[in-house]
C-alpha cells in the first residue's frame, strides 16, 4: 500500500456537480429553504454509528480484524478520544520528507453494515463528502478504491460489489498522506470521516453531469444549459420546456428577469428529468465581470464586505451540521456581511445552496495550502516556498483539486470567484490546473493572493484576474496598487483586520480607502469565528492538549466566539459594513447626581505618591491604593507585550516620589516610574487637592525616549464589590478605543462591572474601556469629571489578571471591582497578523489632565 505517496485516486468516478436525484414520484421537501436530500427515495444515508479501531500504521490493517469500539459518522476521530488534538497554523505536523510521510501514521479502520434491496437495472454509487486525509475502501471484503483530497467528494460505483440484503463496508482512513503536503491550513488538524456518507441508487442510464451558465442581456436573463451526460434530459424552466440531447446545449430566455444579488437573492427553478429521475436546480441570474480595473456584478460596481469562514464547530470540530451553517449565515446577514471566502478549502456542498438562498457572494477556494514548505528549515523562506510551487511532483495533485473545486460548485449562482488556494507560492505545478479553470469556466474571475510570495515573473500572470493581498498597510495599497500604473487589475484584500482578541481597530480606515476607489473590490476579515474546543472547563486552544508542536491561541482570531457569541470586533465590522464612517462626540449633558458625603479625607504614600486611602464621611472608599498603570495585554500586542515586560521591565516598575510637598489641602509630587537597573520609563507631576467632598487630581506625564509604543498611562484602583454599577458619558454601549468606536454612539450609558467586561473572549485581555469620556459615576460612591476627555474601565478583574491569565475560565473571582482611569490609551489595531498600529493611534509621549472626584 504505497498509494498514499502519490496523488492518484483509484476507482473513483469523475468529479461532477453536486446534485441529488429524486424518483419521479418523490415529493420533494425542503429544509432551511433548500432541497432536503433525505426526502429522496434514491438517497440512502449511511451516517450513524460505525465500528472503529485505531491502528499504528497502514501495514497493520487487517480487514478481518474485530473492531472494538464505535464512533458516530460523520465526526473527527480526535474529538472522540483518538490520537491527539493539535492546532497548527503554518507548519507541517511531521518531518518534511517529500513525498514520504512517517511510517508510524495513525490510521482508523471503520466498518458499517447496511441492508440493500438491490434491483436489476439500477446502479449504486457510494459517496464520501469529506475524509481527512485519505482512505481505502472495501465493499464486502473486496477492494474497491482509494481516494484523497480531504474536502472533496469521492464517489464510487459499487454496483458490482453489493448484494441484495446485508452488505459491509470497511474503510481505512489515514491521518497523513502525500496530500497532507498540500493541506497545511491554519486550523485544528482533524482526521476521519468528517462529512456525510450516502448511497445513490440510480437507473442504469442516468444524468451524470451538466453545466448551467447564466448571463444578462439588458433586462433579460439568459440561461444556457449544457448536457454533459450520455442521455437526453427533459428540462422545465417555468413555462418553458426543452430537451437537451447528450452533449448538447439549450438556451432559455427570461424577460425582465429578477436578478440574483446578495441583497436580492432571486432564484428560479429548473427541473431536470431523465429515465425516471428528476433533479431540482435553483438558478440565479447575475453577471460577473471585470471592466478594466473595476469588479462588477450585473454591470454595477459592488464592494465585497466579506469574512473568511472555516467549517468548524466548537463541539464537533470540522464536522458541521446544516443548523451550524444556517446559524452562521443568519449572523452574517445581521452583521452586514455580503461575501464569504471558503478558507481554505471548499465548504460542505449544501453551504453553497444556502448562500444562494440567503444571498451571500462566495469566493470558492481550492483545498490547497503549502505553508509548511516555507518553514521546513528554521525561520521562513519564500525561496523554499517557491521550490514547492515549481515542484512538478505536485502538479497532478493541484490539478485534481482545481478540477474537484470547479466541477462540484460550477452551478451555484452564489459562487462568483474561483480561488486557487492559500499561501502556496506559485509556479510550474499550478499552471495546468489554473489553465483548466480558465478553459472550463470563463464566466467567473480567478483569485490567488500568494503571487505576492512567488517569483516576480509570475506576478502579472494572465491566469489570475485580480491583485490580492493579505494584511497590507494602507500605505502599501496606495503605493503598490493605486499609484502603480502597471497594476490594471481590481484589488481585493482576501484577509485583513485580523480579528484576534480585542481587535479590528483599523477596519474603518480601510473602508474609507475602499469606498473612495473603484479599483478596490472590498475585503474579507480574518476570520469569522474563533476555533476553540468546548470542554467542561471552557474553550481550549493550541497547547492545551499536551501536543508538542502547536501555535497557542492563534486559532482564537474570530469576530465571534467559538460558540458564535458576538464580540465587539463583529459590532465594529457591522457598523462599517453598514456604511457608517464616523462617530462624533456630541453635546451630552452630565447628570447632576447627588452629593451625599459631607467631607472626605485622604492619605498618601509620601515616598511613592500613591493615594492609599480616601474616606467619605469616615468610610473607606479604596480597596487598593490608586497608583499609575502603564500596562495592558491584547493579542495584537503579543509581540510588543514581551518587549514592554521583558525588555523595558514595565511589569516591575514602581512609582517613586522624588519630591513631595504637603499643601494646606493636599499633596504635590514630582516623581518617576522606574524599574531596577533602568532609568525611569516615565516621569510624572501629580497633586491631590481636597475641598469638602471633592478630590482634584492634577497629573502630567512624559515617557522616556526608549519606551516603544507605550500602551497607556493612567490610574488603577479597586473599590468594594458592592459598588459594581456605574454610569458614564462617552462612547458606548460597547467598548471603545481611539481607533475602534464606529459601532458606538456618544451618549449617557449605565452598566455594571460584569456586563462591561466581555468574559466570552477566550484568552483574557484588555477589554471594556470607553474612550473620550467626560463623566463616570460609580453608583452610590463617586462621580468623576475631567478637563479633557479620558478613557476608563470598570471591570471584575485587574490588569495583572488580564495580562497573565491564559483562559477565561481561569480568571479568579475578586471581592472587589477594578477601576482604570486613563489619560491616554493606545488604539487596538490588528497587529496580531497585520500592519503596525498607525502612528495617529499611538498615545502622546507626554500629556496632562485634571480629574475631579465628587464623593
Amino acid at each position: 500500500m504505497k498509494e498514499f505517496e502519490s496523488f492518484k485516486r483509484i476507482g473513483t468516478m469523475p468529479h461532477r456537480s453536486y446534485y441529488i436525484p429524486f424518483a419521479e414520484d418523490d415529493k420533494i421537501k425542503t429544509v432551511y429553504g433548500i432541497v432536503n436530500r433525505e426526502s429522496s427515495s434514491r438517497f440512502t444515508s449511511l451516517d450513524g454509528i460505525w465500528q472503529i479501531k485505531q491502528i499504528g500504521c497502514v501495514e497493520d490493517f487487517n480487514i478481518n480484524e474485530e473492531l472494538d469500539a464505535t464512533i458516530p459518522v460523520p465526526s473527527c476521530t480526535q474529538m472522540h478520544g483518538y490520537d491527539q488534538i493539535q492546532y497548527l497554523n503554518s507548519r507541517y505536523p511531521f518531518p518534511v520528507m517529500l513525498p514520504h510521510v512517517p511510517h508510524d501514521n495513525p490510521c482508523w479502520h471503520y466498518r458499517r453494515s447496511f441492508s440493500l434491496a438491490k434491483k436489476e437495472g439500477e446502479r449504486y454509487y457510494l459517496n464520501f463528502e469529506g475524509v481527512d486525509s485519505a482512505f481505502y475502501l472495501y465493499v464486502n471484503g473486496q477492494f474497491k478504491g482509494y481516494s484523497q483530497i480531504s474536502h472533496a467528494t469521492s464517489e464510487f460505483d459499487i454496483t458490482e460489489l453489493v448484494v441484495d440484503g446485508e452488505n459491509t463496508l470497511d474503510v481505512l482512513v489515514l491521518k497523513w498522506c502525500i496530500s497532507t503536503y498540500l493541506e497545511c491550513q491554519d486550523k485544528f488538524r482533524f482526521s476521519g470521516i468528517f462529512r456525510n456518507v450516502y448511497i445513490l441508487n440510480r437507473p442504469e442510464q442516468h444524468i451524470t453531469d451538466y453545466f448551467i451558465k447564466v448571463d444578462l442581456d439588458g433586462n433579460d436573463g439568459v440561461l444556457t444549459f449544457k448536457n454533459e451526460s450520455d442521455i437526453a434530459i427533459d428540462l422545465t424552466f417555468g413555462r418553458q420546456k426543452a430537451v437537451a440531447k447528450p452533449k448538447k446545449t439549450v438556451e432559455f430566455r427570461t424577460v425582465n428577469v429578477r436578478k440574483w444579488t446578495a441583497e436580492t437573492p432571486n432564484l428560479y427553478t429548473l427541473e431536470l428529468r431523465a429515465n425516471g429521475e428528476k433533479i431540482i436546480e435553483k438558478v440565479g441570474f447575475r453577471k460577473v465581470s471585470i471592466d478594466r480595473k473595476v469588479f462588477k456584478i450585473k454591470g454595477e460596481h459592488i464592494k465585497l464586505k466579506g469574512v473568511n469562514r472555516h467549517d468548524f464547530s466548537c463541539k464537533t470540530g470540522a464536522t458541521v451540521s446544516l443548523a451550524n451553517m444556517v446559524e452562521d449565515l443568519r449572523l452574517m446577514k445581521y452583521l452586514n456581511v455580503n461575501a464569504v471566502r471558503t478558507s481554505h478549502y471548499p465548504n460542505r456542498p449544501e453551504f453553497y445552496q444556502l448562500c444562494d438562498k440567503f444571498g451571500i457572494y462566495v469566493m470558492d477556494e481550492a483545498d490547497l495550502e503549502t505553508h509548511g514548505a516555507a518553514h521546513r528549515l528554521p525561520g521562513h523562506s519564500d525561496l523554499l516556498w517557491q521550490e514547492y510551487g515549481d515542484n512538478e511532483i505536485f502538479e497532478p495533485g493541484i490539478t485534481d483539486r482545481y478540477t474537484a473545486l470547479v466541477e462540484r460548485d460550477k452551478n451555484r449562482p452564489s459562487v462568483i470567484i474561483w480561488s486557487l488556494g492559500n499561501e502556496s507560492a506559485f509556479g510550474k505545478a499550478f499552471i495546468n490546473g489554473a489553465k483548466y479553470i480558465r478553459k472550463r469556466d470563463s464566466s467567473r474571475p480567478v483569485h490567488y493572493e500568494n503571487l505576492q510570495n512567488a517569483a516576480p515573473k509570475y506576478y502579472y500572470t494572465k491566469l489570475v484576474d485580480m491583485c490580492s493581498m493579505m494584511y497590507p498597510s494602507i500605505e502599501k495599497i496606495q503605493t503598490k496598487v493605486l499609484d502603480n500604473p502597471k497594476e490594471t487589475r481590481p484589488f481585493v484584500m482576501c484577509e485583513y483586520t485580523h480579528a484576534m482578541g480585542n481587535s479590528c481597530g483599523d477596519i474603518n480606515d480601510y473602508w474609507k480607502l475602499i469606498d473612495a476607489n473603484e479599483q478596490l473590490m472590498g475585503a474579507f476579515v480574518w476570520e469569522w469565528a474563533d476555533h476553540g474546543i468546548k470542554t467542561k472547563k471552557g474553550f481550549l486552544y493550541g497547547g492545551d492538549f499536551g501536543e508538542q508542536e502547536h501555535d497557542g491561541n492563534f486559532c482564537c482570531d474570530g469576530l465571534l466566539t467559538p460558540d458564535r457569541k458576538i464580540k465587539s470586533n463583529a459590532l465594529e465590522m457591522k457598523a462599517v459594513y453598514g456604511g457608517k464612517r464616523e462617530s462624533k462626540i456630541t453635546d451630552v449633558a452630565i447628570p447632576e447626581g447627588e452629593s451625599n458625603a459631607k467631607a472626605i479625607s485622604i492619605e498618601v504614600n509620601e515616598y511613592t505618591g500613591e493615594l492609599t486611602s480616601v474616606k467619605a464621611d469616615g468610610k473607606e472608599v479604596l480597596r487598593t491604593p490608586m497608583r499609575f498603570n502603564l500596562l495592558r495585554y491584547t493579542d495584537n500586542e503579543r509581540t510588543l507585550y514581551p518587549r514592554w515586560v521583558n525588555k523595558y521591565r514595565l511589569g516591575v516598575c514602581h512609582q517613586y516620589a522624588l519630591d513631595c510637598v504637603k499643601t494646606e489641602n493636599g499633596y504635590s509630587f514630582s516623581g518617576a516610574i522606574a524599574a531596577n537597573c533602568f532609568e525611569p520609563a516615565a516621569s510624572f507631576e501629580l497633586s491631590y487637592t481636597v475641598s469638602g467632598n471633592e478630590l482634584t487630581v492634577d497629573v502630567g506625564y512624559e515617557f522616556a525616549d526608549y519606551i516603544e509604543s507605550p500602551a497607556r498611562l493612567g490610574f488603577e484602583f479597586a473599590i468594594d464589590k458592592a459598588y459594581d454599577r456605574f454610569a458614564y458619558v462617552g462612547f458606548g454601549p460597547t467598548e471603545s478605543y481611539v481607533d475602534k468606536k464606529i459601532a458606538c454612539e456618544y451618549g449617557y450609558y449605565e452598566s455594571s462591572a460584569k456586563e462591561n467586561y466581555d468574559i466570552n473572549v477566550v484568552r483574557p485581555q484588555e477589554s471594556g474601556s470607553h474612550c473620550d469620556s467626560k463623566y463616570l459615576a460609580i453608583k452610590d460612591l463617586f462621580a468623576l469629571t475631567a478637563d479633557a476627555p479620558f478613557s476608563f474601565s470598570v471591570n471584575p478583574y485587574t490588569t495583572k489578571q488580564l495580562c497573565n491569565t491564559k483562559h477565561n475560565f481561569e480568571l479568579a473571582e475578586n471581592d472587589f471591582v477594578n477601576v482604570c482611569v486613563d489619560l491616554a490609551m493606545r488604539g487596538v489595531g490588528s497587529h496580531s497578523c497585520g500592519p503596525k498600529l498607525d502612528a495617529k493611534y499611538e498615545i502622546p509621549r507626554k500629556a496632562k489632565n485634571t480629574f475631579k472626584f465628587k464623593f
Side-chain angles (χ1 to χ4, degrees), residues 703-718:
F703 277 102
D705 290 341
Y706 73 87
I707 301 297
E708 176 189 2
S709 297
R712 71 197 310 175
L713 195 141
F715 297 110
E716 183 170 15
F717 57 94

Side-chain angles (χ1 to χ4, degrees), residues 439-587:
K439 182 178 180 180
R440 181 64 165 142
D441 182 20
S442 61
S443 68
R444 297 176 175 98
V446 175
H447 163 272
Y448 188 58
E449 179 274 339
N450 217 225
L451 296 175
Q452 302 292 336
N453 295 86
K457 64 181 179 180
Y458 295 117
Y459 191 74
Y460 292 105
T461 174
K462 298 298 184 183
L463 295 172
V464 175
D465 296 300
M466 58 196 69
C467 176
S468 177
M469 294 181 189
M470 295 179 179
Y471 314 110
S473 65
I474 288 175
E475 180 184 14
K476 185 175 181 180
I477 299 171
Q478 190 68 49
T479 56
K480 195 165 183 179
V481 179
L482 296 175
D483 296 339
N484 179 6
K486 292 183 179 180
E487 190 50 84
T488 59
R489 302 168 293 183
F491 172 79
V492 66
M493 286 183 285
C494 66
E495 296 176 21
Y496 82 123
T497 196
H498 197 259
M500 187 177 182
N502 187 347
S503 189
C504 300
D506 50 12
I507 188 170
N508 190 46
D509 287 344
Y510 278 118
W511 275 86
K512 287 178 181 177
L513 187 68
I514 292 169
D515 285 342
N517 294 274
E518 282 197 332
Q519 188 176 6
L520 307 190
M521 295 167 53
F524 295 79
V525 176
W526 186 269
E527 65 174 308
W528 174 239
D530 292 341
H531 297 224
I533 304 299
K534 188 171 186 177
T535 67
K536 291 181 179 179
K537 294 188 296 184
F539 295 111
L540 302 183
Y541 48 73
D544 290 335
F545 307 95
E547 68 272 45
Q548 184 173 344
E549 292 84 25
H550 64 85
D551 285 301
N553 72 315
F554 203 64
C555 54
C556 294
D557 53 1
L559 295 159
L560 310 179
T561 63
D563 56 350
R564 284 9 186 210
K565 290 184 174 66
I566 292 175
K567 296 191 286 188
S568 65
N569 301 347
L571 295 177
E572 189 76 357
M573 178 197 71
K574 179 187 179 185
V576 172
Y577 280 7
K580 189 180 177 188
R581 293 291 174 267
E582 189 175 14
S583 286
K584 294 181 178 180
I585 297 176
T586 57
D587 187 14

Side-chain angles (χ1 to χ4, degrees), residues 566-617:
I566 292 175
K567 296 191 286 188
S568 65
N569 301 347
L571 295 177
E572 189 76 357
M573 178 197 71
K574 179 187 179 185
V576 172
Y577 280 7
K580 189 180 177 188
R581 293 291 174 267
E582 189 175 14
S583 286
K584 294 181 178 180
I585 297 176
T586 57
D587 187 14
V588 178
I590 294 176
E592 289 295 327
E594 295 182 4
S595 300
N596 295 319
K598 295 178 181 178
I600 64 167
S601 62
I602 66 170
E603 295 178 12
V604 300
N605 183 326
E606 296 184 14
Y607 302 103
T608 65
E610 295 173 354
L611 185 65
T612 57
S613 173
V614 178
K615 291 181 179 177
D617 291 344

Side-chain angles (χ1 to χ4, degrees), residues 210-214 223-226 270 272 281-283 410-412 444:
Y210 49 88
F211 199 163
I212 300 168
K213 293 186 177 182
V214 295
L223 186 161
T224 303
F225 180 92
K226 183 178 181 183
L270 174 67
L272 292 66
E281 282 285 359
K282 293 296 183 179
V283 178
K410 60 182 177 286
N411 293 325
R412 300 276 53 83
R444 297 176 175 98

Side-chain angles (χ1 to χ4, degrees), residues 542-795:
D544 290 335
F545 307 95
E547 68 272 45
Q548 184 173 344
E549 292 84 25
H550 64 85
D551 285 301
N553 72 315
F554 203 64
C555 54
C556 294
D557 53 1
L559 295 159
L560 310 179
T561 63
D563 56 350
R564 284 9 186 210
K565 290 184 174 66
I566 292 175
K567 296 191 286 188
S568 65
N569 301 347
L571 295 177
E572 189 76 357
M573 178 197 71
K574 179 187 179 185
V576 172
Y577 280 7
K580 189 180 177 188
R581 293 291 174 267
E582 189 175 14
S583 286
K584 294 181 178 180
I585 297 176
T586 57
D587 187 14
V588 178
I590 294 176
E592 289 295 327
E594 295 182 4
S595 300
N596 295 319
K598 295 178 181 178
I600 64 167
S601 62
I602 66 170
E603 295 178 12
V604 300
N605 183 326
E606 296 184 14
Y607 302 103
T608 65
E610 295 173 354
L611 185 65
T612 57
S613 173
V614 178
K615 291 181 179 177
D617 291 344
K619 184 177 180 181
E620 182 60 58
V621 172
L622 299 179
R623 289 291 304 273
T624 63
M626 187 169 81
R627 55 173 65 99
F628 284 119
N629 176 31
L630 277 63
L631 276 180
R632 72 176 192 189
Y633 173 83
T634 69
D635 285 323
N636 284 326
E637 291 149 349
R638 65 196 186 97
T639 57
L640 188 55
Y641 180 80
R643 294 203 291 275
W644 289 336
V645 172
N646 300 323
K647 183 178 180 180
Y648 308 133
R649 309 196 72 210
L650 298 184
V652 292
C653 278
H654 294 284
Q655 193 170 316
Y656 296 93
L658 304 179
D659 184 36
C660 173
V661 176
K662 190 175 187 315
T663 64
E664 181 179 353
N665 298 316
Y667 298 85
S668 179
F669 299 93
S670 294
I673 303 169
N676 290 344
C677 310
F678 285 0
E679 292 183 359
S683 60
F684 65 83
E685 299 289 333
L686 175 64
S687 68
Y688 304 105
T689 305
V690 174
S691 175
N693 68 341
E694 294 184 359
L695 171 64
T696 300
V697 182
D698 287 291
V699 60
Y701 72 85
E702 183 171 4
F703 277 102
D705 290 341
Y706 73 87
I707 301 297
E708 176 189 2
S709 297
R712 71 197 310 175
L713 195 141
F715 297 110
E716 183 170 15
F717 57 94
I719 56 177
D720 193 272
K721 196 170 184 176
Y723 302 102
D724 69 327
R725 300 292 306 177
F726 66 95
Y728 65 97
V729 173
F731 282 112
T734 187
E735 62 189 7
S736 56
Y737 297 83
V738 64
D739 61 343
K740 183 183 177 181
K741 55 187 177 183
I742 303 301
C744 302
E745 297 290 346
Y746 203 79
Y748 172 84
Y749 299 96
E750 295 181 358
S751 187
S752 70
K754 185 176 181 180
E755 294 167 357
N756 191 57
Y757 179 77
D758 189 356
I759 192 62
N760 295 306
V761 175
V762 175
R763 199 292 187 198
Q765 55 200 279
E766 159 62 34
S767 177
S769 285
H770 299 276
C771 70
D772 293 318
S773 299
K774 63 179 182 178
Y775 170 78
L776 167 65
I778 305 295
K779 183 174 171 57
D780 297 328
L781 196 62
F782 67 78
L784 171 65
T785 57
D787 286 358
F790 58 93
S791 290
F792 80 90
S793 64
V794 180
N795 287 333

